[in-house]
Amino acid sequence: MKTLKHIRRLLAILFFLPILLFFIDFTGLLPLFLHKLLQMQWIPALMSVQVGVVGFLLVLSLLFGRLYCSVICPLGVFQDIAAWKSRWFKKKGRRYRFDYRKPNNILRYSLLALTVIVFLLGSSAVVVWLDPYSIFGRIITQLLRPLFIWANNGFSALFIKKGIYVIYGVSQNAFVVIPFIITSVFFVIVAVMSWFRGRLYCNTVCPVGTFLGLLSKLSLFKIEIEKSSCTQCSACEKRCKSQCIDSMAMTVDETRCVSCFNCLSVCKKGGVKYAFRYGKKQEAAPVSEINSSRRTFMLTSGAVVAALATAKAETLTGKKDEILSRKPIMPPGAGHLEHFNTKCTGCQLCVSKCPMHVLKPAALEYGISGIMQPRLAFSTHVYCNQDCTICSEVCPTGALTKLTVEEKRVTQMGIARFRKHKCVVYTDEKDCGACSEHCPTQAVHMIPYKNGLTIPQVTPDLCIGCGGCESICPVRPYQAIYVEGNSVQVKAKKPKDAQKFEKKIDNFGF
Ligand code: SF4
Ligand code: SF4
Ligand code: SF4
């Protein structure tokens, strides 16, 4: 019976490691096709209407129960790792210390219903917060990946001092205060829950887990206790990280069992079996009241949302420059704002894969429901390369439609706004034109001003909102030219003599 557990562990490693490394990889070494593993996650598969994948996951669950939770879901494996690590801090005799707990049906079914209803009403607000794959993606992108980048940059600086140029420094693009705080709160909640209570998150909060639990009632193969062999020693119950085995009643709550098979090998009497059980009835465990740890979770989440609302109000009242209240710029391929906000789960895969480091998780730019969704944020030499389509290629939920390079070159994500009163040509009567030099589409060009000087002018139809101009404008802190995001990405006009005008933006400037 240990074989099943070993196979499950091997498969879990085969899914988990590539996903983890794909999110961490800041060098672009790993092949992009690894994003296919992310399309096998339940929510991305549903969002992008991957009929084949959804069919496969349904069949998998109807055959083997919640194997998805033990093998494919990276947040599930993350919780197993946390629960496993917690054993190192326990005395020898108390390492396997789980005991049966009643399910929190009110909470879990309410959260599932809320997720479905809000989504059907056209908002992914709840999905963004609760999708397990996206929570995992954010934890890695916001908390773990920066540590690797810091270590890389430290070694890079050390090597350069010694004249060795084998690695190079990389910028930390993903750090934004509000998403960082929210991600940290979720990380602590999930880690603490799994540290003390195994798969508590999976069985009370996760809407995917609750949905799969319902499917598992119909699954062909299930864990069950053979009443004739069981001596009620509770060895299996102590090992069950889902806390769903009641050894006294000799029942297994199939809706919470994640098919990890840990219980199979511990029973010396062969009392726990994983076998064909379709149609067999088991006693249902009674409903319990919502306990204090879950109440704490809900209160914490509520407090975070309230804090965010206050932060938004403060930001708005304290604004000093129109650039601060501009419309956010969606990544290329997002199409309509409504489509993007509904489909994007804020997993931040695009943020971690963007080679230009121009994507950042949003704070409140899209409103409360769009927290964590990516937006373009330009800074010195950081702009969107018109020839890069990586974010649209890796997005697993269909929030970004895959673009060809030709399509990308004319996808208008926003339009540059020129503010003459801030431009150095106007304020200092000095020659400049950096924005025009850096515009890859001829959308900014220089026109005569006075005393032989020239000043920029924008042709909106040609602008694609790449931010080349904004990223190089020397006026600080608020540039004289900046990009206002489009709510609907449209096709920009091709520049005249486009072939001759294939400009590569370099690092010229100030
Ligand atoms: S219950 Fe949710 S978080 Fe837990 S393993 Fe399943 S899908 Fe992942
Ligand atoms: S747009 Fe980015 S953050 Fe949103 S689902 Fe796609 S990859 Fe994830
Ligand atoms: S945003 Fe890009 S395309 Fe538009 S004016 Fe600036 S540099 Fe040109």
Side-chain angles (χ1 to χ4, degrees):
M1 280 301 180
K2 278 193 173 170
T3 318
L4 277 179
K5 189 171 85 178
H6 293 323
I7 294 173
R8 187 266 301 167
R9 276 191 182 161
L10 180 68
L11 288 174
I13 291 169
L14 289 179
F15 270 95
F16 184 77
L17 262 189
I19 292 176
L20 177 72
L21 295 176
F22 195 53
F23 268 101
I24 293 177
D25 176 31
F26 54 84
T27 57
L29 279 177
L30 293 179
L32 278 189
F33 69 73
L34 282 177
H35 80 275
K36 296 272 176 211
L37 283 177
L38 307 173
Q39 288 175 339
M40 289 196 65
Q41 305 298 321
W42 257 109
I43 300 274
L46 282 173
M47 292 275 204
S48 55
V49 201
Q50 308 257 356
V51 180
V53 178
V54 171
F56 167 76
L57 293 175
L58 277 175
V59 171
L60 185 76
S61 307
L62 289 172
L63 281 174
F64 305 115
R66 286 172 61 178
L67 202 55
Y68 171 88
C69 294
S70 279
V71 171
I72 301 176
C73 173
L75 194 70
V77 179
F78 165 78
Q79 289 171 80
D80 287 349
I81 294 170
W84 172 60
K85 286 272 179 216
S86 75
R87 285 185 2 215
W88 294 6
F89 297 85
K90 302 259 161 16
K91 283 183 193 155
K92 233 183 173 181
R94 292 193 43 79
R95 283 189 181 161
Y96 301 108
R97 75 293 177 229
F98 295 117
D99 50 8
Y100 174 76
R101 298 291 175 107
K102 290 172 181 176
N104 274 285
N105 287 337
I106 295 175
L107 182 57
R108 62 178 174 152
Y109 291 130
S110 304
L111 284 175
L112 174 62
L114 186 71
T115 309
V116 174
I117 291 168
V118 173
F119 185 71
L120 291 179
L121 288 175
S123 167
S124 62
V126 185
V127 178
V128 168
W129 289 77
L130 298 183
D131 169 32
Y133 149 71
S134 299
I135 294 173
F136 177 80
R138 291 195 287 266
I139 289 175
I140 302 305
T141 309
Q142 300 263 317
L143 308 182
L144 189 59
R145 190 169 180 266
L147 300 181
F148 278 84
I149 294 180
W150 270 321
N152 171 81
N153 292 353
F155 281 120
S156 152
L158 206 69
F159 287 164
I160 286 171
K161 268 191 191 161
K162 298 200 180 298
I164 307 166
Y165 298 92
V166 283
I167 50 175
Y168 55 90
V170 179
S171 75
Q172 293 275 17
N173 64 315
F175 182 79
V176 180
V177 176
I178 292 178
F180 175 80
I181 292 172
I182 296 172
T183 304
S184 304
V185 168
F186 266 85
F187 169 72
V188 171
I189 288 171
V190 176
V192 168
M193 277 176 147
S194 44
W195 189 274
F196 293 104
R197 297 278 305 274
R199 290 297 192 104
L200 179 60
Y201 179 88
C202 294
N203 286 323
T204 47
V205 182
C206 178
V208 177
T210 306
F211 167 68
L212 293 180
L214 291 173
L215 275 187
S216 299
K217 287 186 172 200
L218 305 171
S219 67
L220 297 185
F221 289 86
K222 290 174 187 166
I223 299 280
E224 206 172 82
I225 297 178
E226 295 282 338
K227 294 199 168 83
S228 54
S229 316
C230 176
T231 58
Q232 297 183 313
C233 71
S234 78
C236 55
E237 183 177 324
K238 287 198 168 62
R239 267 297 178 96
C240 177
K241 61 196 175 197
S242 290
Q243 299 183 292
C244 67
I245 298 181
D246 185 349
S247 58
M248 291 303 120
M250 296 188 203
T251 56
V252 180
D253 180 355
E254 61 212 357
T255 65
R256 288 185 291 151
C257 168
V258 291
S259 302
C260 68
F261 311 129
N262 287 351
C263 54
L264 291 181
S265 52
V266 291
C267 182
K268 304 279 181 273
K269 308 282 178 193
V272 190
K273 293 268 172 0
Y274 181 66
F276 189 81
R277 303 284 171 184
Y278 182 71
K280 276 198 167 188
K281 278 195 179 170
Q282 269 202 103
E283 262 178 52
V287 179
S288 73
E289 285 183 1
I290 299 173
N291 72 17
S292 62
S293 64
R294 280 130 211 179
R295 204 173 286 132
T296 307
F297 173 81
M298 297 305 286
L299 287 174
T300 311
S301 308
V304 169
V305 171
L308 294 181
T310 315
K312 168 78 171 172
E314 283 168 6
T315 309
L316 287 177
T317 49
K319 76 172 185 266
K320 288 192 175 66
D321 192 286
E322 68 209 84
I323 197 170
L324 291 176
S325 55
R326 61 167 146 192
K327 286 192 196 134
I329 308 154
M330 300 180 286
H336 290 239
L337 181 62
E338 205 180 310
H339 159 91
F340 175 67
N341 284 163
T342 308
K343 287 240 169 173
C344 174
T345 59
C347 70
Q348 295 179 20
L349 182 62
C350 53
V351 174
S352 67
K353 292 283 107 185
C354 175
M356 300 301 291
H357 306 293
V358 70
L359 290 180
K360 277 194 194 313
L364 292 154
E365 291 83 356
Y366 295 116
I368 289 230
S369 62
I371 293 176
M372 316 280 193
Q373 292 179 338
R375 67 182 177 94
L376 272 76
F378 309 120
S379 54
T380 310
H381 304 314
V382 175
Y383 54 88
C384 181
N385 180 345
Q386 63 165 352
D387 290 342
C388 172
T389 58
I390 287 179
C391 56
S392 79
E393 285 175 57
V394 297
C395 175
T397 66
L400 305 180
T401 307
K402 194 173 170 186
L403 298 174
T404 62
V405 173
E406 286 67 38
E407 287 168 334
K408 166 75 189 293
R409 284 180 170 192
V410 289
T411 296
Q412 189 184 71
M413 300 171 284
I415 296 176
R417 306 261 184 251
F418 175 57
R419 306 189 294 170
K420 186 177 167 188
H421 61 286
K422 300 261 182 185
C423 178
V424 290
V425 181
Y426 176 87
T427 54
D428 303 357
E429 300 211 349
K430 265 179 27 192
D431 205 7
C432 181
C435 51
S436 170
E437 286 279 333
H438 277 69
C439 177
T441 68
Q442 297 169 305
V444 197
H445 53 277
M446 304 303 283
I447 55 166
Y449 177 52
K450 65 177 181 189
N451 303 334
L453 293 170
T454 54
I455 200 157
Q457 186 175 62
V458 177
T459 310
D461 289 351
L462 289 175
C463 179
I464 55 171
C466 67
C469 52
E470 181 179 329
S471 72
I472 202 68
C473 176
V475 180
R476 291 292 187 270
Y478 306 119
Q479 290 87 338
I481 190 162
Y482 72 95
V483 179
E484 182 87 32
N486 279 3
S487 304
V488 181
Q489 294 183 341
V490 291
K491 207 170 163 185
K493 274 191 186 160
K494 268 195 182 172
K496 276 186 221 151
D497 205 2
Q499 293 230 316
K500 217 169 81 189
F501 205 81
E502 282 194 0
K503 188 178 281 190
K504 290 261 179 269
I505 300 177
D506 58 19
N507 283 344
F508 160 87
F510 299 83

